[in-house]
Amino acid sequence: MADITFDTLMTDGSYAGAERARMENKVILDELERKKKARSMAVPTDDNRVKARLREIGEPITLFGERAADRRDRLIYVLSQINAARGEELQMEEEDSSESEEEEEFYTEGSLELLQARRRLAEYSLPRAQKRIAQQRIHAKLPLTRIIDLRKKIFSEVKRFSNLGSQIGDDRPISQVRFSPNSQILATGSWSGAVKIWNVPACTPIRTLRGESIHMLHSGVAWHPQATLTQSEDSVNLVSGASDMSVNLWSLSSDAPLGHDERARRPTSFDTSWRLWDVGTTKEILLQEGHSKEVYSVEFQDDGALVASGGLDAIGRVWDLRTGRTAMVLDGHVQAIFSIAFSPNGYQIATGAGDDTIRIWDMRSLKALYTIPAHVSNVADVRFFRGDTSMSNVPINGEVVMNDLEVDPDKNADDDDGTEEWGYRSGLYFASAGYDGLVKLWSADDWQLLRTLTTDSGKVMSVDLTADGKLLASGTYNRNFQLFAPEDVVV
């Protein structure tokens, strides 16, 4: 199979996908408008008057187990539906009586830098997507008995996670923890405004990174995909977002931020938008709106083509950076979305929210697959396990090569050297952190609870897993981070 590149990609002139997305957005907006109008309706509070009003409109005056407050909410819902239906009938009459004007689409012309960035993203993501699909085809050919054996082996190790130790990380709560790609360094961001780098599992400090302002709060940190691997220590290895409305770029050889620019000192999420920046020039190339409230979480898909955003409006959106279009709307949570994560398989997404649940979404069917009642308080963070990519290499022609050894999908399980297991492990489970003081590990194929880990804090702010699968870290409200590891595993 030939390599897919930007130049060889066949484009489809059909706009069916875009039309479907517009229709879905219209349904969501109409429902939000109906709820907004329902809240402003004048509805009696006296229960007898509520029953009388329900009788007038031909609805049951009471339902089994229904309380007075529930009955009033039902009346509001029914009235809002009636008003919405009347509005649609009036609109149809107006359209019949007068010529309907065609809707005109408006486009905002983008910059040349954005056009070039979209092309680079396409050239970068297409081969990675092809490689991912080739790996998934190999996994699809595995015999059922082999899959069962792999799941048992992997989940038995996950179920052995236990507390390895804890370390005071800062003077204020730890807002986020993230492991480096080589699994040997942990970065912590805190409300004190400091980003700290730690050796793990020794938990010894390496460096403390501070921006220009001493009053900022660091709400998020993220590693460059090649940091600590092929990226130079003098280049950008780490990025952090702060409450002083800045994004700071850090190297591993200096305490001062790289390329800090006053142009970056502007709202990056709490102005209801998210922004795309060119790290090399520290220049903003895209400002994307689409949420009605603050954007709290942003996550890239591994291929690099898609980005998902979760907002305090309880809505998530998936954006195609190559075209600028909305690929999917994640509507189902009833409270703010605090965390969003792509599965390594590329088409499933997990969202954690203030309604104490984790929802699993499938981009192929454009709907929610499963709802997990994960915690008894806010779900603060969700992270899938991502295996070390150096453990396996899948050429684009579909042949699987791992550690320079050809792998036959039908080979005997006794001949497996562990590489097949490692390729299948990535994305097979994920971790969640909650404000109930717990960290939980879940299977990512049947969404069942595998392990519950207790911490010494009432609120767990963040969680992360190393690429080698040996460590799990949690950042807590009581200013420390904790490490967990499977029992009997040398770290």
Side-chain angles (χ1 to χ4, degrees):
M1 180 178 179
D3 296 359
I4 294 179
T5 65
F6 183 82
D7 295 326
T8 60
L9 180 67
M10 296 295 293
T11 57
D12 184 5
S14 171
Y15 289 89
E19 182 64 26
R20 180 177 58 181
R22 280 195 291 269
M23 293 298 295
E24 290 177 352
N25 290 343
K26 184 178 183 300
V27 172
I28 294 172
L29 292 175
D30 290 345
E31 180 65 14
L32 292 175
E33 185 65 21
R34 185 195 64 77
K35 291 179 180 179
K36 181 179 177 181
K37 292 179 179 179
R39 287 194 295 268
S40 61
M41 280 186 177
V43 178
T45 57
D46 181 71
D47 190 43
N48 292 327
R49 295 180 61 187
V50 170
K51 291 179 180 179
R53 188 74 180 93
L54 286 168
R55 183 181 289 110
E56 289 177 6
I57 58 179
E59 291 289 323
I61 63 172
T62 186
L63 299 177
F64 179 77
E66 188 178 51
R67 299 173 299 174
D70 299 331
R71 191 157 35 248
R72 185 174 183 272
D73 291 340
R74 180 162 62 90
L75 175 60
I76 293 175
Y77 176 79
V78 172
L79 290 177
S80 65
Q81 292 282 15
I82 292 174
N83 292 340
R86 289 176 177 173
E88 290 177 0
E89 292 175 0
L90 180 61
Q91 184 178 2
M92 291 177 61
E93 291 176 0
E94 291 177 353
E95 289 178 353
D96 293 339
S97 61
S98 61
E99 294 181 0
S100 60
E101 298 181 358
E102 294 184 359
E103 293 185 0
E104 182 179 356
E105 294 184 351
F106 293 90
Y107 296 93
T108 302
E109 185 176 357
S111 63
L112 179 61
E113 291 84 356
L114 177 59
L115 177 62
Q116 294 172 343
R118 293 198 193 282
R119 185 182 182 95
R120 289 198 302 270
L121 286 166
E123 292 173 344
Y124 175 80
S125 63
L126 288 172
R128 292 172 64 89
Q130 194 174 13
K131 178 179 177 179
R132 170 175 55 82
I133 293 172
Q135 179 71 76
Q136 290 171 350
R137 286 174 176 166
I138 295 298
H139 292 161
K141 295 178 181 179
L142 291 175
L144 179 59
T145 55
R146 179 59 177 154
I147 292 176
I148 293 174
D149 291 341
L150 287 173
R151 290 182 81 256
K152 285 182 179 179
K153 183 177 180 181
I154 295 170
F155 289 162
S156 65
E157 182 178 322
V158 173
K159 292 177 181 179
R160 295 200 307 270
F161 266 91
S162 61
N163 197 330
L164 187 65
S166 65
Q167 172 69 39
I168 297 296
D170 211 290
D171 298 330
R172 298 200 64 191
I174 303 295
S175 57
Q176 198 163 64
V177 293
R178 290 294 181 259
F179 284 108
S180 63
N182 70 354
S183 304
Q184 298 176 9
I185 300 175
L186 178 69
T188 61
S190 78
W191 289 4
S192 69
V195 174
K196 294 187 178 182
I197 311 297
W198 306 81
N199 274 315
V200 290
C203 296
T204 55
I206 300 175
R207 181 171 282 108
T208 299
L209 310 175
R210 283 191 180 273
E212 295 180 356
S213 173
I214 62 174
H215 302 294
M216 62 181 179
L217 311 178
H218 272 104
S219 58
V221 293
W223 289 92
H224 188 285
Q226 293 301 317
T228 67
L229 298 176
T230 60
Q231 186 83 337
S232 169
E233 289 190 0
D234 299 327
S235 302
V236 175
N237 281 259
L238 189 68
V239 62
S240 65
S243 62
D244 66 344
M245 300 180 292
S246 68
V247 174
N248 293 312
L249 308 176
W250 309 93
S251 69
L252 295 180
S253 59
S254 174
D255 298 340
L258 297 176
H260 187 77
D261 197 319
E262 287 297 324
R263 292 173 298 178
R265 298 179 65 87
R266 61 178 70 181
T268 56
S269 62
F270 269 55
D271 59 355
T272 72
S273 70
W274 60 268
R275 305 177 187 229
L276 185 66
W277 301 82
D278 188 320
V279 174
T281 61
T282 67
K283 184 177 181 181
E284 175 193 313
I285 58 177
L286 174 64
L287 187 155
Q288 182 65 62
E289 297 177 333
H291 289 268
S292 60
K293 289 187 178 180
E294 295 85 344
V295 181
Y296 199 85
S297 179
V298 175
E299 179 83 2
F300 273 94
Q301 185 207 37
D302 290 354
D303 296 343
L306 305 177
V307 63
S309 60
L312 300 188
D313 54 2
I315 298 294
R317 287 181 178 271
V318 182
W319 311 84
D320 189 339
L321 292 177
R322 300 164 297 186
T323 63
R325 297 174 180 170
T326 300
M328 183 177 179
V329 178
L330 314 178
D331 182 23
H333 285 290
V334 296
Q335 295 291 335
I337 295 176
F338 295 133
S339 180
I340 193 165
F342 271 102
S343 169
N345 62 26
Y347 55 84
Q348 288 179 338
I349 304 168
T351 53
D355 56 9
D356 312 339
T357 67
I358 297 173
R359 281 182 176 257
I360 309 298
W361 311 81
D362 194 316
M363 292 191 60
R364 300 170 302 180
S365 58
L366 297 176
K367 65 180 182 180
L369 285 181
Y370 200 80
T371 300
I372 306 173
H375 294 265
V376 296
S377 191
N378 297 345
V379 180
D381 202 4
V382 178
R383 298 291 290 177
F384 280 91
F385 169 74
R386 281 174 165 75
D388 186 355
T389 56
S390 65
M391 295 289 291
S392 63
N393 181 25
V394 184
I396 301 213
N397 60 13
E399 298 176 0
V400 177
V401 178
M402 298 185 178
N403 292 342
D404 300 327
L405 297 175
E406 291 188 3
V407 177
D408 182 4
D410 299 324
K411 73 176 182 179
N412 191 293
D414 296 335
D415 299 331
D416 182 37
D417 60 358
T419 53
E420 182 182 63
E421 173 195 333
W422 197 258
Y424 189 77
R425 176 191 289 260
S426 186
L428 191 59
Y429 60 93
F430 66 93
S432 66
Y435 274 24
D436 53 3
L438 300 176
V439 172
K440 296 186 178 183
L441 291 161
W442 309 84
S443 64
D445 52 6
D446 59 2
W447 322 114
Q448 299 303 304
L449 179 64
L450 300 175
R451 180 71 165 162
T452 299
L453 304 171
T454 59
T455 67
D456 56 4
S457 175
K459 297 178 182 178
V460 183
M461 313 285 283
S462 181
V463 68
D464 198 20
L465 293 155
T466 55
D468 59 11
K470 294 182 178 181
L471 288 175
L472 180 149
S474 66
T476 63
Y477 188 80
N478 68 348
R479 305 168 299 158
N480 71 5
F481 64 89
Q482 293 182 260
L483 293 182
F484 302 85
E487 297 174 355
D488 305 327
V489 173
V490 179
V491 294

